[in-house]
Amino acid sequence: MSDATLHVTSQNPDDFAVQIADQIESFLVAVSEVARGDEPDSAVPFLLLEVSQLLLAGGRLGAHEDIVPDERYEPDLGPEGDVDEIRENLARLLEPIDVYSEVFDPYEPRKAPVPARISDDLADVMADLRHGMAHYRSGRTVEGLWWWQFSYFSNWGSTASAALRALQSVVAHVRLNQPLAELDGLDTDQDLGDDALEAEAGRVMAEEIAGPLGLPTVRQPT
C-alpha cells in the first residue's frame, strides 16, 4: 500500500486508514456502552463479537508494511483519558468470570499460566486505541496508524487475543453445559503454576452463570 493511501484527506470509506479508524471507533463505543451495565444479560456475547471484530483490524495492521510517522517525536496529546471507571464497571459486570488464567507468551518454554482479568485487558486495550484515535482525530492520520500498529505488536494485540480466548471459553462452557472452573480468590499479581491454579479453582456449573449472562444452555438428553 502506498504512502499516498495513508495520507488521505478525504473520508472515502474504501481507504485503509478510514476503515481501521471506523473499526477501532466501533470497539471504543461498544465497550463503553457495555460498561454502563444497561444490558448485563448480553454483555459477554457482545464483548466476544466486538473483540473479534477489533482483532480483524489488528490483523490488517499487522499484515501491513511498517508505518513510519511523519515526525521524529510524537506530538504532545495533553492529558491521557482515564479508563479506570470503565475498568471498574466491567469488573463488577463480569465478576463471575472476570479472572482467568493465561500464558503470556506461548513461545517461551516452561512458562506457567498467570491470572489475568478481562476487565483489565479491555481497559488497557481501550487506552492504547484512544491514544491513537486522538492523533487520528487531530488530523495526524499516519501518526495514529503508526501508534495503532506499534501498540498492536507491543501490547493490545496480545491482550485482546487473551481476552477473546477467555470470552470464547465462557460462551463455549455455557453452550456445551460444561463445568466452568472459577479462579476464586486469585489476584492478578500472583504468579501461579498449574497445580496452584487447580488447587485454588472452585467448581461453578455453566448453567449457574448462564442466566445472569443471558446465554442459552444446551438441553440435556433425556
Side-chain angles (χ1 to χ4, degrees):
M1 184 172 295
S2 68
D3 288 343
T5 308
L6 299 180
H7 289 78
V8 293
T9 57
S10 66
Q11 289 295 305
N12 186 336
D14 294 330
D15 289 333
F16 176 78
V18 174
Q19 291 175 355
I20 295 297
D22 285 349
Q23 287 180 285
I24 288 174
E25 176 69 14
S26 176
F27 175 83
L28 293 173
V29 171
V31 175
S32 297
E33 287 296 313
V34 171
R36 291 174 56 186
D38 294 339
E39 298 183 18
D41 291 348
S42 60
V44 169
F46 194 51
L47 289 173
L48 175 64
L49 174 62
E50 291 300 326
V51 176
S52 299
Q53 292 178 334
L54 174 68
L55 285 170
L56 173 60
R60 295 182 67 191
L61 286 164
H64 197 284
E65 63 189 22
D66 287 347
I67 298 170
V68 180
D70 295 327
E71 302 178 39
R72 182 175 181 182
Y73 300 102
E74 182 180 8
D76 185 13
L77 287 172
E80 293 284 345
D82 189 4
V83 295
D84 284 344
E85 182 178 358
I86 290 176
R87 187 192 313 272
E88 293 167 3
N89 289 345
L90 287 172
R92 285 192 294 270
L93 187 65
L94 302 173
E95 193 276 333
I97 46 90
D98 194 23
V99 178
Y100 68 98
S101 60
E102 169 65 5
V103 177
F104 181 71
D105 189 338
Y107 284 98
E108 289 190 28
R110 296 178 297 280
K111 283 293 185 180
V114 296
R117 292 182 182 273
I118 298 173
S119 55
D120 288 342
D121 291 346
L122 296 181
D124 290 347
V125 169
M126 289 190 71
D128 278 345
L129 299 180
R130 282 181 172 182
H131 188 93
M133 185 62 72
H135 285 302
Y136 182 82
R137 288 173 175 165
S138 298
R140 295 186 291 270
T141 302
V142 177
E143 188 74 37
L145 286 170
W146 173 83
W147 175 260
W148 287 329
Q149 186 186 60
F150 167 76
S151 57
Y152 170 76
F153 288 126
S154 63
N155 184 47
W156 74 260
S158 59
T159 301
S161 297
L164 177 67
R165 179 161 176 77
L167 291 165
Q168 189 274 338
S169 180
V170 171
V171 174
H173 274 94
V174 172
R175 295 288 173 86
L176 299 176
N177 240 8
Q178 295 175 343
L180 180 68
E182 178 186 30
L183 302 184
D184 187 18
L186 296 184
D187 200 353
T188 52
D189 61 359
Q190 294 175 271
D191 188 5
L192 302 176
D194 291 323
D195 292 341
L197 284 171
E198 183 177 355
E200 291 284 351
R203 296 187 61 191
V204 177
M205 293 301 292
E207 57 266 27
E208 292 180 0
I209 66 169
L213 297 179
L215 297 173
T217 58
V218 175
R219 181 179 300 169
Q220 293 291 342
T222 56

